[in-house]
Amino acid sequence: MRVLLAEDDAMIGTAVRDRLRGSGLAVDWVQDGRAADAALAGGTYDLLLLDLGLPGREGLAVLKRLRGRGSTLPVVIVTARDAVDDRVAGLDAGADDYLVKPFDLKELEARLRAVLRRRGGHASSVIEHGRISLDLASHEVRDDGVPVPVSPREFALLHALLERPGRILSRAQLEERLYGWGEEVGSNVVEVHIHSLRRKLGPDLIRNVRGVGYRIPEDPA
Ligand code: CA
């Protein structure tokens, strides 16, 4: 899961980035509206967390340009407490949800989950596939009901593959989902995580597609 965070407040930005990275999300952080535009035009994201009061270009303008390009990227806007009109304008311009500053990081995560769930067509925050279940709220993985401890990045990798079973994701696509800007990516880090997941969840869950990438079969074994 790769998130673009557009926020000019250094304290809030740091707190949000660190919190989301701690949950295994890849987070790119920009601090003005033009940089947000550029990142959105050039990158592949699963979600945009957009402060409306941005220097350079207002958040609302960023959102309108994004929707104007036909993008359906899920967007959660962030506004100040008294900015009711901004929130209304943001929702009307195509935002999926909003948060009011100051917000609790737990609420932020819950709202992001809710937006992604709705967009993914999932009614609950638990993804089930055969014996495996993935709880996006508690970050718990279960195999036949038995909890299996996984690292945040192993969780993120499993989530990426289980979102659409059958779809093949390349190593580069998986790296993009796991690591934000400025984070060191080891050369065989995806293989290491896959190896570890196979050790924990069985060798047949994640399949290699030679020369292309990885997938989880559509029909669970
Ligand atoms: Ca701001």
Side-chain angles (χ1 to χ4, degrees), residues 6-9 12 31 51-55 78 101:
E7 169 62 71
D8 62 315
D9 183 297
I12 296 175
Q31 302 192 37
D51 179 26
L52 288 187
L54 286 175
V78 178
K101 287 180 183 177

Side-chain angles (χ1 to χ4, degrees), residues 62-81:
V62 173
L63 177 58
K64 283 180 174 164
R65 289 165 75 101
L66 178 73
R67 293 299 185 232
R69 292 196 293 271
S71 167
T72 58
L73 179 71
V75 176
V76 175
I77 53 174
V78 178
T79 66
R81 181 164 291 287

Side-chain angles (χ1 to χ4, degrees), residues 107-187:
E107 183 183 359
L108 163 71
E109 288 193 309
R111 283 183 186 270
L112 299 193
R113 280 197 301 274
V115 165
L116 292 168
R117 202 161 63 219
R118 286 200 297 271
R119 288 305 194 93
H122 300 289
S124 87
S125 62
V126 179
I127 296 176
E128 295 197 55
H129 189 70
R131 299 157 47 101
I132 305 296
S133 74
L134 205 63
D135 188 327
L136 303 178
S138 67
H139 267 240
E140 209 169 42
V141 175
R142 288 174 181 266
D143 182 357
D144 218 4
V146 180
V148 179
V150 298
S151 74
R153 284 202 165 118
E154 287 167 7
F155 188 93
L157 198 153
L158 202 53
H159 183 195
L161 290 166
L162 275 177
E163 260 177 349
R164 270 173 54 197
R167 176 179 57 170
I168 301 168
L169 290 173
S170 70
R171 192 173 79 173
Q173 285 171 320
L174 288 170
E175 279 174 0
E176 204 173 66
R177 293 282 295 259
L178 300 186
Y179 295 90
W181 295 342
E183 288 189 284
E184 198 66 42
V185 185
S187 61

